[in-house]
Amino acid sequence: MLAIRNPKSKINNEMSRIRLLPDIVASQVAAGEVVERPASVVKELIENSIDAGARKIEILIRRGGISLVRVIDDGCGMDRDDALLSLERHATSKIRSAADLAAIATLGFRGEALPSIASVSRFRLTTRELSAVAGTEIIVNGGKIDIVRDGGEAPGTQVEVRSLFYNLPARRKFLRSENTETRNIEHQLQLQAIGHPQIAFAFVRDARLVFQLPPAASLHDRIRDLHGNELLERLLPVNGAGLNKIDVSGLIGQAGLSRQTRTQQLVFVNGRAVESPVVTAALREGYHTALMKGQFPVTFLFLHLDPASVDVNVHPTKREVRFRDPTAVREAVVNSIRRTLEGGRGDWQEKFRAPAATIPEEAIVDVASRPESLSPAATPQRVIPSRADGEGPHKLSGESSRQEMRKPPSTTQQFQIIGVLNKLYILMENADGLVLVDQHAAHERILFEELRRRMEEQGVLSQKLLIPQTFDLPPRDAEWVERNLPILQKMGIGVEGFGPNTFKIDSLPAFLQASDPISFMQRVIDDLKSASNSSSALREEMIAMTVCRHAVKANDPLRYLEIEKLIQDLLECDLPYCCPHGRPTMIQISLAELEKKFGRKV
Ligand code: ADP
Ligand code: MG
């Protein structure tokens, strides 16, 4: 049998090539993964404070955190032995055995952060347990403990990290500008503050107090304290009854609210901020037509699932997670996003609704006396469109079959059309103030939902062309059309093969009044080709979106009755506030905003 030798005895043996690294070097190697930049220091220290049960955490940075990061908490603190142990690699109070790894309930568990940070900085830890007479102060430079003594700070823990990477010039060179590092830290603080609303946070940057967040009763309050009311008003509480035993909650941006970067797309899994490609893809799928291409949604999304079904031990920074059943997670997220967005249309409809009692009789203008066409100069009139069931003062065109299929609005919608700006934007007044509607975007949304609904029911009405027409396409386009013929036909586009690379078109969807069917087809095909890298599941919708976009381009200035009908149809849509490409259809400018702009209110 082989005797197991003490490996340390080999370290000085010049004959051997393999050596155990001294602890300090090993920590510096580990630091390469855990401590990428000052923001990682901030993250690890705050997570430790949270795990220590802190109610209040203060963060101070200087020069982007490169010259100083200090985190003070009022958590449980450590006694002297633990404080010394906490600086050893793989020393942790959070797990004890491999079995604990299967269900981690704390933010930390690897026992790497403090020794790693201490090995690449000038580090000072002071800590005191609540009941202890004295605390402990430990000073470490580049991983070497220099001083251990009594310290007199308040109960809790304070960690000071100075001159990050002072002993690793190569790493220091990789740091970005102070501003960039500051932004990274601020992003990290946002994640922690949103993830833990009940904890108070204060942030001081270069001797300036940036924010001071009181403990918040809810996520809602925390978002208001951090980002203000304006953002909050455009968020919807997530409607996520636990599909697949996954609880989905939080607040997400309503359709039409988006950002150019992912910085406000926050996702937490069991309380931990994560970056998960699975969830990111699910968000995109859930938002679908409610999101502009290349834009990112605003989400404060919280997933809670059995800790045993998530592996957080994937990456040293614990930023990535692995789901045991990614499909279940995807379904739960997509489902709750969709339901939330569709539920959100109620908010919009609310803005067009007034209590019936407040509508004065004389305000109702008979349809017959209304001007047929509306120019920007037309006099404002009070119009109270009613339900299409004939009970109201005037009956609206009842030809829309979907009005019958769908449940009518529960109360009368109230809005007043003021005019049309630049032949495109409809100006309206509602209970909240001014509403601008992009006529094209609105029309696209209505057509799209109608087309989609009819396709589901296999019932798109098509209209025969007087004279069927044929057109040729280059072979690659022809191939594409060939492949998608069934979908086009389902949409009421009567196109079929008519020899190699030649097609015949003899009907178009009834709603589509294209004067030139061939150039219409050409535009649709061009558009779809440029977008055809999307997944096949979306193909049908993609085509529907494109068809609707080009159907609307041919639109003339609308007449008064058409405008009124357009607005009503829009308010009946599942996602009324954005077109199928995610651009907004309506913009509300509230009276309060106007008052502010005119200096009537501060
Ligand atoms: P981990 O968090 O993975 O356990 P760390 O290196 O971050 O590893 O911390 C080591 C240990 O030090 C923790 O397990 C904890 O017991 C203790 N510790 C660290 N920071 C604090 C703090 N702010 N308050 C109380 N204890 C702390
Ligand atoms: Mg930790």
Side-chain angles (χ1 to χ4, degrees):
M1 228 170 68
L2 265 174
I4 297 171
R5 274 187 298 166
N6 176 1
K8 294 218 170 180
S9 67
K10 280 187 81 182
I11 288 177
N12 295 322
N13 180 343
E14 282 185 17
M15 294 303 289
S16 63
R17 288 183 299 123
I18 302 178
R19 285 149 207 255
L20 267 180
L21 292 173
D23 261 358
I24 289 183
V25 181
S27 289
Q28 287 177 347
V29 171
E33 294 180 308
V34 184
V35 192
E36 270 173 317
R37 48 181 8 99
S40 349
V41 173
V42 171
K43 170 181 188 284
E44 294 296 336
L45 296 182
I46 295 181
E47 287 189 347
N48 279 346
S49 298
I50 294 171
D51 283 343
R55 313 302 311 155
K56 184 169 176 237
I57 304 175
E58 286 173 49
I59 301 98
L60 183 144
I61 65 164
R62 220 175 282 149
R63 299 193 45 217
I66 302 166
S67 100
L68 172 68
V69 170
R70 181 194 295 149
V71 173
I72 307 171
D73 70 49
D74 62 353
C76 63
M78 290 176 270
D79 64 21
R80 178 166 295 194
D81 288 349
D82 275 353
L84 283 165
L85 251 179
S86 75
L87 297 168
E88 298 281 333
R89 274 196 314 134
H90 308 306
T92 179
S93 57
K94 300 171 193 175
I95 56 171
R96 282 169 189 275
S97 67
D100 292 344
L101 272 178
I104 290 162
T106 47
L107 294 167
F109 59 88
R110 300 171 61 102
E112 279 184 329
L114 291 188
S116 298
I117 296 168
S119 73
V120 293
S121 66
R122 302 187 193 281
F123 181 98
R124 175 171 167 267
L125 168 79
T126 58
T127 184
R128 192 183 132 197
E129 290 180 302
L130 185 59
S131 52
V133 201
T136 305
E137 174 179 10
I138 303 175
I139 294 176
V140 187
N141 286 305
K144 196 174 129 295
I145 295 182
D146 279 344
I147 298 171
V148 181
R149 61 184 170 212
D150 281 354
E153 309 282 347
T157 301
Q158 169 171 342
V159 178
E160 237 176 53
V161 178
R162 288 177 191 274
S163 316
L164 188 65
F165 298 138
Y166 79 98
N167 53 348
L168 289 182
R171 293 299 303 280
R172 206 179 162 104
K173 263 191 237 145
F174 276 97
L175 294 179
R176 312 281 292 277
S177 72
E178 280 173 30
N179 280 342
T180 309
E181 297 299 348
T182 301
R183 265 201 305 281
N184 283 326
I185 290 174
E186 285 175 345
H187 180 64
Q188 192 50 239
L189 290 175
Q190 179 194 209
L191 290 176
Q192 303 291 355
I194 295 291
H196 306 276
Q198 71 288 356
I199 299 176
F201 284 90
F203 176 45
V204 177
R205 183 185 69 209
D206 298 313
R208 224 192 87 229
L209 179 67
V210 181
F211 63 67
Q212 195 155 25
L213 301 169
S218 64
L219 174 66
H220 185 272
D221 290 358
R222 176 52 55 93
I223 294 174
R224 193 195 42 229
D225 292 344
L226 197 58
H227 296 295
N229 259 326
E230 219 158 291
L231 178 67
L232 198 59
E233 274 169 15
R234 303 182 68 189
L235 300 178
L236 304 166
V238 172
N239 176 354
L243 186 71
N244 298 336
K245 293 209 195 114
I246 299 165
D247 180 66
V248 186
S249 61
L251 291 152
I252 62 167
Q254 59 181 212
L257 176 67
S258 61
R259 299 279 187 258
Q260 262 151 12
T261 67
R262 220 181 270 168
T263 48
Q264 268 189 341
Q265 181 182 307
L266 275 50
V267 175
F268 299 83
V269 172
N270 292 346
R272 182 190 305 276
V274 300
E275 281 166 21
S276 156
V278 174
V279 180
T280 302
L283 286 176
R284 194 151 274 288
E285 194 180 334
Y287 268 88
H288 190 29
T289 66
L291 200 63
M292 266 186 269
K293 214 173 153 201
Q295 295 264 4
F296 299 92
V298 175
T299 67
F300 302 93
L301 193 75
F302 290 76
L303 308 188
H304 285 279
L305 58 165
D306 179 359
S309 63
V310 203
D311 187 359
V312 291
N313 193 16
V314 180
H315 191 267
T317 60
K318 300 159 285 176
R319 204 164 44 199
E320 290 165 35
V321 290
R322 202 175 286 142
F323 296 110
R324 189 179 286 170
D325 186 354
T327 312
V329 173
R330 206 198 85 229
E331 279 174 6
V333 173
V334 171
N335 185 43
S336 16
I337 300 289
R338 287 211 177 130
R339 288 207 330 227
T340 306
L341 293 177
E342 288 182 7
R345 85 194 168 111
D347 287 359
W348 257 108
Q349 289 175 335
E350 204 52 54
K351 294 190 172 175
F352 289 87
R353 216 169 266 165
T358 68
I359 302 169
E361 264 303 311
E362 66 275 18
I364 299 162
V365 175
D366 187 20
V367 186
S369 71
R370 218 177 291 150
E372 266 300 273
S373 88
L374 196 89
S375 68
T379 28
Q381 300 192 37
R382 180 158 286 272
V383 180
I384 301 169
S386 68
R387 294 162 42 168
D389 57 9
E391 277 171 17
H394 59 266
K395 191 171 172 149
L396 276 160
S397 46
E399 84 283 342
S400 164
S401 62
R402 63 188 209 89
Q403 289 254 322
E404 284 141 33
M405 280 162 17
R406 324 192 76 217
K407 50 181 189 316
S410 51
T411 27
T412 308
Q413 283 159 356
Q414 186 185 8
F415 52 85
Q416 177 184 334
I417 296 166
I418 302 168
V420 179
L421 183 70
N422 201 23
K423 295 201 182 112
L424 176 59
Y425 304 109
I426 301 166
L427 305 180
M428 302 196 302
E429 178 183 349
N430 69 355
D432 260 26
L434 181 66
V435 183
L436 290 151
V437 177
D438 179 325
Q439 196 172 295
H440 284 178
H443 198 179
E444 244 180 276
R445 166 55 67 181
I446 296 164
L447 288 183
F448 171 72
E449 291 201 6
E450 167 125 27
L451 185 59
R452 191 170 58 179
R453 190 156 36 240
R454 290 193 184 241
M455 278 165 67
E456 269 163 28
E457 294 155 10
Q458 313 277 321
V460 182
L461 280 180
S462 67
Q463 191 149 33
K464 286 261 174 252
L465 301 179
L466 283 178
I467 311 155
Q469 302 187 30
T470 58
F471 57 97
D472 297 327
L473 289 174
R476 275 184 54 204
D477 293 4
E479 196 196 320
W480 184 90
V481 172
E482 198 73 58
R483 247 185 302 132
N484 290 287
L485 275 183
I487 301 175
L488 293 170
Q489 285 159 358
K490 206 168 146 197
M491 272 171 213
I493 301 177
V495 56
E496 54 186 276
F498 198 73
N501 304 335
T502 306
F503 295 88
K504 186 180 81 175
I505 179 162
D506 65 2
S507 58
L508 282 177
F511 66 78
L512 197 154
Q513 285 134 16
S515 51
D516 183 355
I518 291 187
S519 75
F520 166 75
M521 278 309 295
Q522 197 59 60
R523 288 197 307 264
V524 168
I525 292 165
D526 279 353
D527 234 30
L528 284 170
K529 270 191 322 190
S530 61
S532 64
N533 54 353
S534 61
S535 75
S536 56
L538 300 181
R539 190 163 290 275
E540 196 167 289
E541 292 226 319
M542 262 300 299
I543 297 176
M545 271 155 64
T546 311
V547 165
C548 292
R549 177 198 284 169
H550 291 290
V552 171
K553 284 265 164 67
N555 210 42
D556 302 322
L558 290 181
R559 298 195 306 177
Y560 194 96
L561 276 176
E562 292 168 329
I563 291 180
E564 195 185 294
K565 170 98 168 48
L566 183 86
I567 302 299
Q568 286 212 310
D569 285 352
L570 181 64
L571 292 174
E572 282 302 297
C573 284
D574 287 335
L575 287 181
Y577 24 59
C578 67
C579 82
H581 303 90
R583 280 188 296 113
T585 54
M586 305 189 247
I587 295 171
Q588 170 91 58
I589 302 174
S590 69
L591 290 173
E593 258 173 280
L594 287 174
E595 278 170 12
K596 221 154 105 192
K597 286 213 162 74
F598 280 112
R600 289 175 169 275
K601 219 168 67 180
V602 276

